[in-house]
């Protein structure tokens, strides 16, 4: 493919940021399932030993949270809802058949839902995680509050795992999406089909840059 047919979607710092979040998520999801279900205790070995997992799990969680916060500040304005999202949602049956609907910008309604669900889950995980973090903070909270925090932490973790599963499935389903996050570029045809408004914005920007002396 000619370079002229490529559009940069994610630059190197963005991709590195994304994969840091992804790596942390895998470690947290596996070790978290090991804590939650006794039959999955063997998953704790992903962080070395069960004892080491108890120490590292919260620190990796904080790392993931702040890495995602960087993504939040980069992309929040691209994830605000608009009238095209309502059209997309009303035609979800067409989306399921791989038919694009509406004049989609950088992200479609489904991607926006994943973004906001992820940030809400991560905020709940951080707040509840601090309350149950031994030996640093748990001692300052009452037993009923710690129990409530454990419930919130568990439910938020399961919710986030489901959200990320949807995210991964969508990325694999739409051919060309993985390339964007690995190599940073998408084809003009991909952008025009899946994100037509964003495609026009990028083309107009390129034309303006070419006209500059």
């Amino acid at each position: 493919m000619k370079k002229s047919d490529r559009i940069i979607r994610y630059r190197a710092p963005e991709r590195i940021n994304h994969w840091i979040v992804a790596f942390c998520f895998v470690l947290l999801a596996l070790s978290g399932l090991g804590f939650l279900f006794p039959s999955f205790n063997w998953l704790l070995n992903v962080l070395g030993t069960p004892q080491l997992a108890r120490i590292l799990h919260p620190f990796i969680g904080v790392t993931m949270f702040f890495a995602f916060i960087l993504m939040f500040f980069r992309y929040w304005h691209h994830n605000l809802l608009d009238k095209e999202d309502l059209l997309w949602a009303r035609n979800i049956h067409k989306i399921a058949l791989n038919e694009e609907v509406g004049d989609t910008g950088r992200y479609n309604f489904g991607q926006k839902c994943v973004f906001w669900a992820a940030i809400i889950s991560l905020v709940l995980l951080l707040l509840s995680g601090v309350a149950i973090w031994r030996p640093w903070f748990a001692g300052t909270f009452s037993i009923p509050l710690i129990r409530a925090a454990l419930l919130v932490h568990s439910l938020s973790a399961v919710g986030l795992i489901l959200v990320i599963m949807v995210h991964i499935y969508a990325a694999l389903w739409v051919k060309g999406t993985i390339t964007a996050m690995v190599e940073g570029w998408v084809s003009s045809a991909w952008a025009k089909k899946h994100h037509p408004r964003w495609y026009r914005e990028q083309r107009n920007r390129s034309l303006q840059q070419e006209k500059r002396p």
Side-chain angles (χ1 to χ4, degrees):
M1 180 184 295
K2 297 179 181 179
K3 288 188 176 180
S4 58
D5 291 331
R6 298 179 179 183
I7 299 177
I8 297 298
R9 187 156 173 85
Y10 297 109
R11 301 194 179 278
E14 297 175 278
R15 302 199 302 275
I16 292 170
N17 192 173
H18 171 273
W19 290 114
I20 289 174
V21 171
F23 181 67
C24 290
F25 170 78
V26 171
L27 295 180
L28 291 168
L30 294 177
S31 58
L33 289 172
F35 290 132
L36 190 60
F37 300 106
S39 57
F40 287 163
N41 280 166
W42 55 274
L43 288 174
L44 296 173
N45 293 321
V46 72
L47 294 179
T49 66
Q51 295 77 12
L52 192 58
R54 288 191 176 277
I55 296 172
L56 295 179
H57 183 90
F59 285 103
I60 296 172
V62 171
T63 301
M64 178 181 174
F65 178 82
F66 284 105
F68 193 88
I69 286 297
L70 293 177
M71 295 174 65
F72 175 80
F73 285 116
R74 277 194 178 107
Y75 305 126
W76 70 269
H77 58 290
H78 295 296
N79 284 278
L80 298 176
L81 299 181
D82 56 43
K83 62 180 181 180
E84 292 297 330
D85 295 319
L86 298 177
L87 177 63
W88 194 96
R90 285 198 299 266
N91 290 276
I92 188 65
H93 58 289
K94 295 181 180 179
I95 303 298
L97 296 175
N98 203 26
E99 179 182 341
E100 294 298 332
V101 176
D103 193 23
T104 305
R106 178 159 185 166
Y107 298 113
N108 61 40
F109 181 67
Q111 292 168 314
K112 291 177 181 180
C113 288
V114 166
F115 177 85
W116 291 111
I119 190 62
I120 291 171
S121 298
L122 283 168
V123 169
L124 291 174
L125 284 167
L126 179 71
L127 295 177
S128 58
V130 168
I132 62 178
W133 192 347
R134 295 182 182 278
W136 305 105
F137 305 109
T140 62
F141 299 99
S142 65
I143 297 299
L145 184 59
I146 291 175
R147 288 173 177 169
L150 280 167
L151 179 60
V152 170
H153 201 77
S154 300
L155 293 176
S156 300
V158 171
L160 182 61
I161 289 172
L162 293 175
V163 167
I164 298 303
M165 287 175 65
V166 170
H167 175 61
I168 294 172
Y169 174 77
L172 294 172
W173 180 42
V174 180
K175 186 178 179 180
T177 303
I178 297 296
T179 302
M181 194 47 72
V182 174
E183 300 183 34
W185 59 270
V186 293
S187 68
S188 297
W190 184 97
K192 192 174 183 178
K193 177 181 178 181
H194 299 292
H195 303 272
R197 176 152 42 97
W198 177 74
Y199 167 77
R200 294 196 306 272
E201 292 169 353
Q202 296 304 304
R203 280 304 182 198
N204 290 337
R205 183 178 301 174
S206 296
L207 290 173
Q208 290 174 0
Q209 291 176 348
E210 290 175 1
K211 291 178 180 178
R212 291 174 184 172

